[in-house]
Amino acid sequence: MAETKQPIKSPINNRWSHLLMIVLLGALIVFILSFYQGQNAPRELRNDQFIAAIEDGLITSIYVTPSNDANYRAYDIKGDLSTGDKYIATLANDTEFDTMYALILALNSDGTTANDITYNYDEASNSGIWSMIFTVVIIAVFIGGIIYITRNGANANRQAFDFGKSRARLSKGQHTTFNDVAGADEEKQELQEIIDFLKNPKKYIELGARIPKGVLLVGPPGTGKTLIARAVAGEANVPFYFVSGSDFLEMFVGVGASRVRDMFKTAKQNAPCILFIDEIDAVGRQRGTGLGGGHDEREQTLNQLLVEMDGFGHNSGVIVLAATNRVDILDPALMRPGRFDRQIFVGTPDIKGRAEILKVHSRKKKINPKITFEEIARRTPGFTGADLENLMNEAALLAAREDKKQIELEHIDEAVDRVMMGPAKKSRVFTKKEREFIAYHEAGHAVIGIKLKNASIVHKVTIIPRGEAGGYNLMLPEQEQAFLMTKNDLLEQITGLLGGRVAEEVTFNEISTGAHEDLRRATSIARRMITEYGMSDNLGPVTYEENTGTVFLGRDYGKDKNFSEAIATEIDKEVRAMIHESYELAKKTINANNDLLKTIAKYLLAVETLTKEDIDEIVETGGLKRHDQPHAADEIKIADMPKVDGEVQH
């Protein structure tokens, strides 16, 4: 199949083009000067005039060039006159040359001339040859420049005609198949049907089924939409054209529509085939939206795309695959059946899917056989396929940095932290008070996670700063919930977020700014419980706020609030009451388990990082074997702390 013609590129860039033009201009100037000098031809002297000029002291220089003819010995003379003009002369034989040479010697020796005559005899002068070569080179460069400029002009004209051509490229040598796609079994099944339709259309046509005209892959970034499309190219034995939505748009109105027409024309000529448009939201955005009105170029491009997919023309044999993570802004006319007959949601994988994805991305990596992919998948809830690929790559880089022969679990743990929070900043300097605040803050989160029934399980606690956080807790649910969360789950999630602030208040009788992100997340959850999920006892099961989808005005302005000022006041009261109730529950839990809080904080200050196994050991035995004797500098001496109103005060 012929590949879509690409615009012809200039052989050199603009900088070299400008340099060449300067060289050509300089050569032209030299050529003109040489020609001008040629107009001032030297004065030709006869033999007797030449001798007389020597005797009269009118000649200041003589340059003799003998001829190379063996049968005829002559001498060409040139030089300068005392007036500043040039002259030329010819001596026909050796006798005339001897006469001239003797005269020059006599005049130079007795001082009868005003100045000595400069004399030079060049037996093998090639000045004429070099002059001819120089002239030829100048002419050749000049002609070459004219040819180059003419050819560039032709290329520019050709590019002007190719400006409206399609930017879609034909996939060649594609080796991605469905074996490289994991955690998306249902999505592969849907697309497998289309591939089978292209391979065996007869059995579908006999049942009266028509081939789908378009399939839209929808999902968050990094979930594998483009990878699935590449796998379709590897599975289908039909031409596969791929293009980005931004390839259609230019500053000139009508260019995008022309490219759409040319793209479908090429696809129809090679039907049956698959046409993949990545990031279709760049061209398929809803028309007539935004504060500034429409966008003529994008809307004309979209109109042409709508017509080509399902308009007056027949589009048999061309299946359009498209991918986007902004389905909320696509034009409704693009989404209707007949254009995109199917929408396939490619979401974040569950624990089983993550394990399968990890196997795919670990095929060429050396991993400790004792590590199971299910164990890694359990530590990475919410990770997309791109996140998992980056996770395994980071783990391999860490192992290579330490000159290890295989990837260990510690490398994967560090890679998880890097992907979630960024690299550790161990060089950051904290005061002793800051370290203690951070340790108790993180220990407070851990205690809530350990003691509350519906809270997430603590897998890791650290006070090593990463990103903007001074420390963090890795808390994962015992069983991954894909769709539903109960009211108690959300309330205990809020309580867990408030555990750090409560631990600071209980231990130091003082609070810090370290809980600002926890408070933001807790408030957001509480407000959504009341305004969106209908979980308020006083306000009832009513949705008060919802996203209107008006993302063109900004997400903060896209909230539809169908309630009065009185209800707004009640919502604020309910949010405060819910947060206050969770705060009191956290305080009650922390006070009831204060010894556990102090023990976890003590070992955090000593070893900086505690794993799930360490925390389980602390809960069961009250100590940590791998650190039986903490360093005195790191150990918190609770007994030595001053007490104010029965509380430990720093």
Side-chain angles (χ1 to χ4, degrees), residues 63-79:
Y63 300 98
V64 181
T65 303
S67 65
N68 295 324
D69 191 347
N71 299 322
Y72 177 73
R73 187 71 167 175
Y75 301 88
D76 294 326
I77 310 295
K78 64 180 180 180

Side-chain angles (χ1 to χ4, degrees), residues 488-508:
N488 285 335
D489 292 336
L490 293 172
L491 286 174
E492 292 198 357
Q493 187 174 346
I494 295 174
T495 305
L497 290 170
L498 298 175
R501 166 63 65 88
V502 171
E504 294 177 8
E505 182 180 352
V506 168
T507 304
F508 304 108

Side-chain angles (χ1 to χ4, degrees), residues 193-443:
E193 182 179 293
I194 293 176
I195 296 171
D196 186 50
F197 200 119
L198 291 170
K199 292 180 178 180
N200 306 295
K202 184 177 179 180
K203 71 176 183 179
Y204 294 92
I205 294 175
E206 289 177 351
L207 294 173
R210 66 169 177 83
I211 188 170
K213 294 184 178 180
V215 178
L216 183 63
L217 302 175
V218 180
T223 52
K225 300 182 294 295
T226 305
L227 177 65
I228 291 175
R230 290 204 307 265
V232 172
E235 294 285 341
N237 294 322
V238 295
F240 184 88
Y241 291 91
F242 60 96
V243 68
S244 172
S246 60
D247 287 335
F248 296 107
L249 301 181
E250 293 286 350
M251 65 179 293
F252 303 107
V253 177
V255 174
S258 174
R259 290 177 178 175
V260 171
R261 286 191 296 269
D262 186 69
M263 178 180 66
F264 276 91
K265 177 182 176 182
T266 304
K268 291 174 185 177
Q269 291 172 351
N270 297 280
C273 68
I274 294 176
L275 180 62
F276 176 60
I277 305 176
D278 198 9
E279 304 296 345
I280 194 173
D281 51 90
V283 67
R285 183 172 297 209
Q286 186 174 346
R287 291 165 290 183
T289 53
L291 295 175
H295 185 292
D296 289 340
E297 164 63 357
R298 186 177 62 240
E299 292 188 5
Q300 286 198 20
T301 305
L302 175 58
N303 291 339
Q304 188 62 45
L305 182 62
L306 297 176
V307 171
E308 293 290 346
M309 290 190 68
D310 187 25
F312 294 106
H314 187 58
N315 194 28
S316 177
V318 178
I319 297 179
V320 180
L321 291 180
T324 182
N325 50 33
R326 301 289 305 279
V327 67
D328 55 322
I329 68 173
L330 293 182
D331 193 272
L334 190 65
M335 306 293 293
R336 72 162 176 82
R339 292 197 172 108
F340 283 109
D341 299 279
R342 293 185 182 179
Q343 293 185 31
I344 300 177
F345 180 75
V346 186
T348 54
D350 57 13
I351 185 170
K352 180 182 176 182
R354 292 196 298 273
E356 294 175 355
I357 293 172
L358 288 167
K359 291 178 183 178
V360 171
H361 294 308
S362 302
R363 288 174 181 171
K364 298 181 179 180
K365 294 180 174 62
K366 296 180 180 180
I367 303 177
N368 189 331
K370 296 181 181 179
I371 302 175
T372 63
F373 293 111
E374 289 74 15
E375 183 179 4
I376 304 174
R378 193 176 297 109
R379 298 174 182 230
T380 53
F383 275 45
T384 64
D387 293 331
L388 294 172
E389 191 278 333
N390 188 33
L391 166 67
M392 296 309 299
N393 184 63
E394 286 287 346
L397 292 175
L398 290 170
R401 188 180 302 172
E402 297 176 5
D403 295 326
K404 300 292 185 180
K405 300 299 182 182
Q406 61 184 7
I407 299 173
E408 303 291 347
L409 184 60
E410 61 200 40
H411 301 136
I412 295 175
D413 278 339
E414 175 64 20
V416 171
D417 295 341
R418 281 173 169 263
V419 173
M420 293 177 61
M421 304 290 293
K425 298 182 178 180
K426 296 183 178 181
S427 61
R428 183 178 292 178
V429 179
F430 288 106
T431 65
K432 182 180 179 181
K433 182 178 180 180
E434 285 177 321
R435 290 187 79 244
E436 292 175 355
F437 259 87
I438 294 171
Y440 272 92
H441 182 102
E442 301 304 332

